């Protein structure tokens, strides 16, 4: 009979200030994990990360957080800009002048009303896919993942659980 190693899953963290603090404290650790993962990721890494993402999306309500809307500089496709401007009752030029800098929307997102996106059902792809854990080629996107870990409770918790599930041999 083969004994399985006990996996200790960290408790779920949703406090944004604590997530930011822990991400800073674990900055070197996260970069070491990234390097290790580049060499040792299992063949099913995309599926494993997708499962973790779905788990935390079910546990954490994005619309109660909205930290991504408060923090990220986002670039939209031209076709999305038209739809956004129209939804907001503005011309593309007025929207760009009022809400954008260097081709990106500056935080806080102008579509944010409290913690709710006023165009949530029609939000752009970049918003819809955030924090991009479920996209293919996870190990080729780890720099962005580490950046998102400090912003998004879903990314933070999934990344921490991934360390535990893969039994990463911390240095």
């Amino acid at each position: 009979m083969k004994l399985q190693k006990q996996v200790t899953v960290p408790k779920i963290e949703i406090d944004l200030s604590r997530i930011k603090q822990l991400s800073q404290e674990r900055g070197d650790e996260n970069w070491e994990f990234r390097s290790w993962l580049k060499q040792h990721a299992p063949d099913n890494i995309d599926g494993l990360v997708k499962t973790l993402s779905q788990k935390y999306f079910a546990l954490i309500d994005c619309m109660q957080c909205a930290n991504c809307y408060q923090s990220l500089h986002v670039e939209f496709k031209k076709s999305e800009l038209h739809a956004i401007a129209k939804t907001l009752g503005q011309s593309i030029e007025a929207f760009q002048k009022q809400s954008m800098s260097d081709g990106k929307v500056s935080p806080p997102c102008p579509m944010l009303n409290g913690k709710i996106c006023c165009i949530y059902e029609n939000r752009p792809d970049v918003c819809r896919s955030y924090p991009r854990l479920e996209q293919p080629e996870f190990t080729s996107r780890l720099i962005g993942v580490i950046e998102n870990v400090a912003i998004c409770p879903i990314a933070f918790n999934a990344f921490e659980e991934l360390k535990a599930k893969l039994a990463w041999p911390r240095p």
Side-chain angles (χ1 to χ4, degrees):
M1 177 198 256
K2 187 177 177 183
L3 295 176
Q4 287 188 319
K5 184 176 178 179
Q6 183 85 13
V7 175
T8 305
V9 177
K11 77 173 189 82
I12 191 169
E13 185 61 67
I14 58 170
D15 181 290
L16 294 174
S17 60
R18 181 122 170 89
I19 287 171
K20 185 176 181 180
Q21 175 191 355
L22 289 171
S23 295
Q24 289 171 343
E25 289 172 6
R26 297 175 186 168
D28 290 341
E29 175 184 305
N30 288 342
W31 284 101
E32 289 170 13
F33 179 60
R34 174 194 176 268
S35 296
W36 179 86
L37 196 55
K38 287 281 207 181
Q39 300 296 317
H40 300 95
D43 291 340
N44 68 337
I45 188 69
D46 288 348
L48 179 58
V49 172
K50 182 177 182 176
T51 300
L52 291 173
S53 175
Q54 291 171 347
K55 171 185 175 178
Y56 288 105
F57 265 106
L59 295 171
I60 298 170
D61 183 359
C62 287
M63 295 181 21
Q64 294 300 312
C65 174
N67 198 39
C68 54
Y69 291 97
Q70 299 285 352
S71 306
L72 298 174
H73 294 264
V74 181
E75 188 171 356
F76 299 129
K77 297 174 189 168
K78 293 271 188 217
S79 60
E80 293 171 331
L81 278 177
H82 179 72
I84 292 167
K86 184 177 179 181
T87 301
L88 296 174
Q90 298 177 328
S91 68
I92 291 177
E93 294 77 19
F95 176 78
Q96 288 174 319
K97 185 177 180 181
Q98 180 183 355
S99 304
M100 297 182 76
S101 173
D102 296 325
K104 295 183 178 184
V105 173
S106 302
C109 179
M111 281 75 75
L112 190 62
N113 182 8
K115 290 189 176 184
I116 304 294
C117 173
C118 65
I119 62 166
Y120 190 80
E121 290 303 317
N122 298 310
R123 67 197 183 281
D125 289 339
V126 68
C127 301
R128 192 174 299 280
S129 66
Y130 190 81
R132 292 180 275 294
L133 295 174
E134 296 183 28
Q135 292 178 344
E137 308 283 332
F138 179 76
T139 56
S140 69
R141 299 179 294 100
L142 288 169
I143 291 173
V145 170
I146 290 173
E147 291 170 357
N148 292 339
V149 160
I151 296 169
C152 175
I154 293 167
F156 176 84
N157 286 285
F159 200 67
E160 290 299 312
E161 187 169 343
L162 184 63
K163 291 176 190 175
K165 281 203 176 296
L166 295 180
W168 173 49
R170 286 178 159 79

Coordinates of all heavy atoms in Angstrom, one line a residue, residues 78-96 111 118-119 122:
K78 N -10.5 48.1 -30.5 CA -11.2 49.3 -31.1 C -12.7 49.0 -31.1 O -13.5 49.9 -30.8 CB -10.7 49.5 -32.5 CG -9.3 50.0 -32.6 CD -9.2 51.5 -32.5 CE -7.8 52.0 -32.8 NZ -7.5 53.1 -32.0
S79 N -13.1 47.8 -31.5 CA -14.5 47.5 -31.6 C -15.2 47.6 -30.2 O -16.3 48.0 -30.1 CB -14.7 46.1 -32.1 OG -14.1 45.1 -31.3
E80 N -14.4 47.2 -29.1 CA -14.9 47.3 -27.8 C -15.0 48.8 -27.4 O -16.0 49.2 -26.7 CB -14.0 46.6 -26.8 CG -14.0 45.1 -27.1 CD -13.0 44.3 -26.3 OE1 -11.9 44.9 -25.9 OE2 -13.2 43.1 -26.0
L81 N -14.1 49.6 -27.8 CA -14.1 51.0 -27.5 C -15.4 51.7 -28.0 O -16.1 52.5 -27.3 CB -12.9 51.8 -28.1 CG -11.6 51.7 -27.3 CD1 -10.5 52.4 -28.0 CD2 -11.8 52.3 -25.9
H82 N -15.8 51.3 -29.2 CA -17.0 51.8 -29.8 C -18.2 51.4 -28.9 O -19.1 52.3 -28.6 CB -17.2 51.3 -31.2 CG -18.4 51.8 -31.9 ND1 -18.6 53.1 -32.3 CD2 -19.6 51.1 -32.1 CE1 -19.8 53.2 -32.7 NE2 -20.5 52.1 -32.7
A83 N -18.3 50.2 -28.5 CA -19.5 49.7 -27.7 C -19.5 50.3 -26.4 O -20.5 50.7 -25.9 CB -19.4 48.2 -27.6
I84 N -18.3 50.5 -25.8 CA -18.2 51.1 -24.4 C -18.7 52.6 -24.5 O -19.5 53.0 -23.7 CB -16.8 51.0 -23.9 CG1 -16.4 49.6 -23.5 CG2 -16.6 51.9 -22.6 CD1 -14.9 49.4 -23.3
A85 N -18.1 53.3 -25.5 CA -18.5 54.7 -25.6 C -20.0 54.9 -25.9 O -20.6 55.7 -25.3 CB -17.7 55.3 -26.7
K86 N -20.5 54.0 -26.7 CA -21.9 54.1 -27.0 C -22.8 53.8 -25.8 O -23.7 54.5 -25.5 CB -22.3 53.1 -28.1 CG -23.7 53.1 -28.6 CD -24.0 52.2 -29.7 CE -25.4 52.2 -30.2 NZ -25.7 51.3 -31.2
T87 N -22.4 52.8 -25.0 CA -23.1 52.4 -23.8 C -23.1 53.6 -22.8 O -24.0 53.9 -22.1 CB -22.5 51.2 -23.1 OG1 -22.5 50.1 -24.0 CG2 -23.2 50.8 -21.8
L88 N -21.9 54.3 -22.7 CA -21.8 55.5 -21.8 C -22.4 56.8 -22.4 O -22.3 57.8 -21.7 CB -20.3 55.6 -21.5 CG -19.7 54.5 -20.7 CD1 -18.2 54.7 -20.5 CD2 -20.4 54.3 -19.4
G89 N -22.9 56.7 -23.6 CA -23.4 57.9 -24.3 C -22.4 58.9 -24.7 O -22.7 60.1 -24.6
Q90 N -21.2 58.4 -25.1 CA -20.1 59.3 -25.4 C -19.6 58.9 -26.8 O -19.8 57.8 -27.3 CB -18.9 59.2 -24.5 CG -19.2 59.6 -23.1 CD -18.0 59.3 -22.2 OE1 -17.2 58.4 -22.4 NE2 -17.9 60.2 -21.2
S91 N -18.9 59.9 -27.4 CA -18.1 59.5 -28.6 C -16.9 58.8 -28.2 O -16.4 58.9 -27.1 CB -17.8 60.8 -29.4 OG -16.8 61.5 -28.7
I92 N -16.3 58.0 -29.1 CA -15.0 57.3 -28.8 C -14.0 58.4 -28.4 O -13.2 58.2 -27.5 CB -14.5 56.5 -30.0 CG1 -15.5 55.3 -30.2 CG2 -13.1 56.0 -29.8 CD1 -15.1 54.4 -31.4
E93 N -13.9 59.5 -29.1 CA -12.9 60.5 -28.9 C -13.1 61.1 -27.5 O -12.1 61.3 -26.7 CB -13.0 61.6 -29.9 CG -12.7 61.2 -31.3 CD -13.8 60.4 -32.1 OE1 -15.0 60.5 -31.7 OE2 -13.4 59.7 -33.0
A94 N -14.4 61.4 -27.1 CA -14.6 61.9 -25.7 C -14.2 60.9 -24.7 O -13.6 61.2 -23.7 CB -16.1 62.3 -25.6
F95 N -14.6 59.6 -24.9 CA -14.2 58.6 -23.9 C -12.7 58.5 -23.8 O -12.1 58.4 -22.7 CB -14.8 57.2 -24.4 CG -14.4 56.1 -23.5 CD1 -15.0 55.9 -22.2 CD2 -13.4 55.2 -23.9 CE1 -14.6 54.8 -21.4 CE2 -13.0 54.1 -23.0 CZ -13.6 54.0 -21.8
Q96 N -12.0 58.4 -25.0 CA -10.5 58.3 -24.9 C -9.9 59.5 -24.2 O -9.0 59.3 -23.4 CB -10.0 58.2 -26.4 CG -10.3 56.9 -27.0 CD -9.8 56.8 -28.4 OE1 -10.0 57.8 -29.2 NE2 -9.3 55.7 -28.8
M111 N -16.1 52.6 -16.0 CA -17.4 51.8 -16.1 C -17.8 51.3 -14.7 O -18.8 50.7 -14.5 CB -17.3 50.7 -17.0 CG -17.4 51.1 -18.5 SD -16.0 51.8 -19.2 CE -14.9 50.5 -19.4
C118 N -20.8 48.9 -14.8 CA -22.1 49.3 -15.4 C -22.4 48.7 -16.8 O -23.5 48.8 -17.3 CB -22.3 50.8 -15.5 SG -21.1 51.7 -16.6
I119 N -21.4 48.0 -17.3 CA -21.5 47.3 -18.6 C -21.2 45.8 -18.4 O -20.7 45.2 -19.4 CB -20.7 48.0 -19.8 CG1 -19.2 47.9 -19.5 CG2 -21.2 49.4 -20.0 CD1 -18.4 48.3 -20.7
N122 N -21.8 43.2 -20.9 CA -21.2 43.5 -22.2 C -19.7 43.9 -22.1 O -19.2 44.5 -22.9 CB -22.0 44.6 -23.0 CG -23.4 44.1 -23.3 OD1 -23.6 43.0 -23.8 ND2 -24.3 44.9 -22.9

